[in-house]
Amino acid sequence: MARTTPHDPPHAFPSTAPPSPAHPEDEPLYRRIATELLGELHDGAIPPGERLPGERQLAEHFGVSRETVRQALEVLRRDGLVATDRRGSHATLKGPPVETPAALAFPVGARYVGRDVMARATVSWESPPPGHAEALALAPSRPTLVHRYWSASADGCELRTAVTSFSSVALAEAEELARYRYRADGATAAELRRAYDWLRRAGLTLHHRDTITRIAGTPSVRVTRRVRDQYARPLEITELIVDAQQDALVYEFTLPAAV
């Protein structure tokens, strides 16, 4: 969605007056950027309370100068849509974050847990499990980011385990994921619940296919999720084991309105 522009308009004090729908091309550039950024906030690309990318990243994303980004952010601040503190700017739109308990989360099967459920998630930099390298088009024994998820009931009965491996494409496109390489010791807790949002924010359309199979001789089922982008490039593969006697796997889908 990046654009190029030969010059930013002369510096002007940002106005919070609504844009004129009749002549949007006559709007100052910072006003148009504010409108586009607001659209991304409403679309849920940046949920309420989430930190916005830095000025440099926003400038690159929209193809404008950092000064134009500052003016656009000022418009949204004056309207109470963005707040800024010592750590940077964050969205203040009302409403729940994108990842709600019923929504498909990362990894498949992960969820917000209540008082009666324990959960743990870690990441490591290692060779992926058998079958993952081929699915992700990785060379044999080539290390990558591997995420592990585990949950159990209060009495210690294991409910779900999941292992996810990311492709080199996913790590190259989503810098938030790539950063985890340097703290992937396999022991430190790591929350990647926003992984799908990071990939979408990088401009990727996610296509996932989930296969559910019974595990012979056990009450459990295996869910295998493969995620690809709009170019059919593999992004991640997850294998989730669910104890079907103690737990239930719920899928919820939202269809877009007809146009």
Side-chain angles (χ1 to χ4, degrees), residues 22-186:
H23 302 285
E25 67 279 2
D26 295 334
E27 290 182 340
L29 181 56
Y30 69 82
R31 290 282 299 162
R32 283 182 277 163
I33 298 304
T35 299
E36 290 194 27
L37 181 54
L38 180 59
E40 294 191 7
L41 297 179
H42 280 302
D43 289 342
I46 306 175
E50 181 72 11
R51 295 285 164 183
L52 272 63
E55 290 180 359
R56 185 187 299 277
Q57 291 175 276
L58 288 174
E60 293 176 354
H61 177 59
F62 291 111
V64 297
S65 71
R66 293 178 67 175
E67 178 59 28
T68 297
V69 168
R70 291 190 191 101
Q71 293 179 320
L73 290 174
E74 181 61 26
V75 171
L76 299 180
R77 287 190 197 100
R78 286 179 165 270
D79 286 343
L81 303 172
V82 166
T84 300
D85 55 28
R86 291 182 298 175
R87 296 178 56 198
S89 299
H90 58 270
T92 58
L93 291 177
K94 295 181 178 179
V98 172
E99 59 278 284
T100 60
L104 287 173
F106 173 84
V108 55
R111 58 185 180 177
Y112 288 100
V113 295
R115 295 179 181 177
D116 58 339
V117 177
M118 301 175 290
R120 181 177 69 246
T122 60
V123 291
S124 58
W125 185 257
E126 61 180 78
S127 299
H132 284 210
E134 182 180 358
L136 298 176
L138 292 173
S141 301
R142 178 179 176 179
T144 190
L145 193 68
V146 177
H147 179 279
R148 287 182 171 81
Y149 173 85
W150 170 89
S151 68
S153 59
D155 58 5
C157 292
E158 192 171 83
L159 298 177
R160 304 183 181 194
T161 61
V163 57
T164 299
S165 301
F166 292 96
S167 71
S168 55
V169 172
L171 298 179
E173 296 288 348
E175 64 180 45
E176 296 92 341
L177 277 175
R179 292 195 195 109
Y180 275 88
R181 173 178 179 175
Y182 304 103
R183 42 179 163 152
D185 58 8

Side-chain angles (χ1 to χ4, degrees), residues 180-256:
Y180 275 88
R181 173 178 179 175
Y182 304 103
R183 42 179 163 152
D185 58 8
T188 304
E191 180 56 76
L192 300 188
R193 194 175 293 273
R194 296 298 313 283
Y196 291 157
D197 290 329
W198 295 336
L199 291 167
R200 284 193 291 261
R201 189 182 300 174
L204 302 181
T205 300
L206 307 187
H207 302 274
H208 67 83
R209 179 176 181 175
D210 297 346
T211 303
I212 304 176
T213 56
R214 295 183 61 184
I215 300 178
T218 75
S220 301
V221 296
R222 174 184 287 108
V223 182
T224 302
R225 166 170 291 181
R226 297 169 184 254
V227 180
R228 294 177 175 268
D229 66 8
Q230 64 267 43
Y231 309 109
R233 298 179 300 179
L235 298 175
E236 61 111 328
I237 179 172
T238 295
E239 288 187 282
L240 166 76
I241 307 297
V242 179
D243 185 333
Q245 287 189 330
Q246 300 188 61
D247 203 4
L249 185 65
V250 178
Y251 284 85
E252 178 173 301
F253 299 88
T254 300
L255 299 178

